[in-house]
Amino acid sequence: MSPKVTHADVAEFAGRAVNLPRDTADAKRKQVNTLRERVKGHVATNPGFSLVKMLHAGSVAKGTALRTVNDFDVAIYVKRDDAPVEEAELVAWTADRLREAYKGLLDPSQITPGTHCVNVHFKSTGTDVDVVPVLYEGDPDDRGYLIAKDAADRTHWLLTSVRLHLDFIRDRKNACKHDWAQVVRLVKWWVREQRMSSGPGDEFRFKSFMVELLCAHLLDTSRVDFTDYVTALDGVFDYIVRTELRERIAFDTYYPASALPRERVGEIEIFDPVNPKNNTARSYEERDRVRIVEAAEAALDAITEASYATTKEQALKCWQVVLGSRFRG
């Protein structure tokens, strides 16, 4: 019996509802590049300026963004010796530096400090750009430090590298052209559907970077065939259910396995490929892990049931458990 929902059906839905259109992404990137070039020019004419460089970051830069994305992420590298180290002070200080750099280009009211970043708003298009400060000491590969909070709400510096993160994702995209990134977007869409169905105060937690790293692990270990989207989604959910997210996920791309902590450091362990001390799931609790596993089990059961459906209507209802009511096959 042939399946009623196929790779082609899921691919068509992804192109229609999930993926950020190329022309939209290009237009938004153009605005981000305007900001980058302005900072670059200001730094060139003001050698003592505290901002060093701006790099495009986040899902749009990686090519894993959803159609529903409404803001764009960039990292602004700042001289560590010049900048405050308390987050609120750093964000406000960065906003002042950006107002100086963009004087004559943007009204100061378009640059506003938030909790973790500075928001730059383009009135003409409604585009919002979130600018995250990175403390920089001139390290190679654009390694710098984000100000982060640990489980006890204590401030610490978290090593990162926007450039190496982009290289990491690009290598996986090159290894499985088009398909790996598409499956990442489909899993992110599933996460979005889970969040939308969550009640107040009961948010479904599974951040995008963790999804990207989990899918990278499944590609690197050849556990999932990403070229067929039905098979791939089945494989992703099966992995989550089988391991219950208790299996450590880490990469030896930029550091040896010996650099990782010997003891377990969280309910879920998905390590940043740039920093072996950064478990990207460090703030996730047992209930978050259980919630992800249970949602994955429901998705896996739905895909299995769909494979045995005798009518297209039955199969679609099953797949709507995974991809939401907009999925029509």
Side-chain angles (χ1 to χ4, degrees), residues 177-195:
K177 290 188 181 298
H178 309 298
D179 294 325
W180 179 81
Q182 183 62 81
V183 174
V184 169
R185 290 191 292 270
L186 286 164
V187 177
K188 287 185 178 184
W189 184 267
W190 168 73
V191 171
R192 176 181 178 273
E193 290 295 318
Q194 300 306 307
R195 286 177 179 156

Side-chain angles (χ1 to χ4, degrees), residues 131-309:
V131 183
V132 180
V134 177
L135 302 176
Y136 185 58
E137 296 178 320
D139 291 348
D141 297 318
D142 291 319
R143 294 178 186 266
Y145 294 85
L146 295 169
I147 291 185
K149 297 286 183 70
D150 62 17
D153 204 36
R154 294 171 300 198
T155 299
H156 67 286
W157 291 331
L158 184 66
L159 178 67
T160 190
S161 170
V162 171
R163 190 173 305 282
L164 293 183
H165 281 161
L166 294 178
D167 289 348
F168 177 88
I169 296 297
R170 185 183 64 244
D171 288 346
R172 274 71 194 170
K173 290 169 66 178
N174 288 340
C176 186
K177 290 188 181 298
H178 309 298
D179 294 325
W180 179 81
Q182 183 62 81
V183 174
V184 169
R185 290 191 292 270
L186 286 164
V187 177
K188 287 185 178 184
W189 184 267
W190 168 73
V191 171
R192 176 181 178 273
E193 290 295 318
Q194 300 306 307
R195 286 177 179 156
M196 290 179 65
S197 64
S198 300
D202 187 31
E203 181 187 2
F204 182 83
R205 302 181 68 205
F206 199 177
K207 61 186 176 184
S208 293
F209 192 31
M210 289 169 56
V211 170
E212 292 166 354
L213 295 180
L214 184 146
C215 290
H217 173 68
L218 295 178
L219 177 69
D220 290 359
T221 56
S222 301
R223 298 195 190 189
V224 167
D225 174 11
F226 285 87
T227 62
D228 182 284
Y229 301 156
V230 171
T231 302
L233 289 172
D234 181 275
V236 170
F237 297 131
D238 178 70
Y239 173 82
I240 293 172
V241 172
R242 279 190 300 102
T243 65
E244 297 184 328
L245 288 181
R246 296 187 187 277
E247 182 177 281
R248 172 176 283 188
I249 293 176
F251 305 87
D252 59 4
T253 309
Y254 299 116
Y255 55 77
S258 59
L260 293 163
R262 292 187 178 182
E263 303 297 327
R264 193 169 182 86
V265 291
E267 296 297 335
I268 303 172
E269 290 187 313
I270 303 179
F271 282 89
D272 185 333
V274 171
N275 181 359
K277 295 181 180 179
N278 178 24
N279 174 17
T280 64
R282 63 188 177 279
S283 68
Y284 283 57
E285 301 176 357
E286 172 68 4
R287 63 180 180 179
D288 298 314
R289 184 193 64 79
V290 171
R291 186 91 178 273
I292 295 170
V293 172
E294 289 179 346
E297 187 170 19
L300 183 62
D301 288 346
I303 292 174
T304 301
E305 185 178 348
S307 69
Y308 291 104

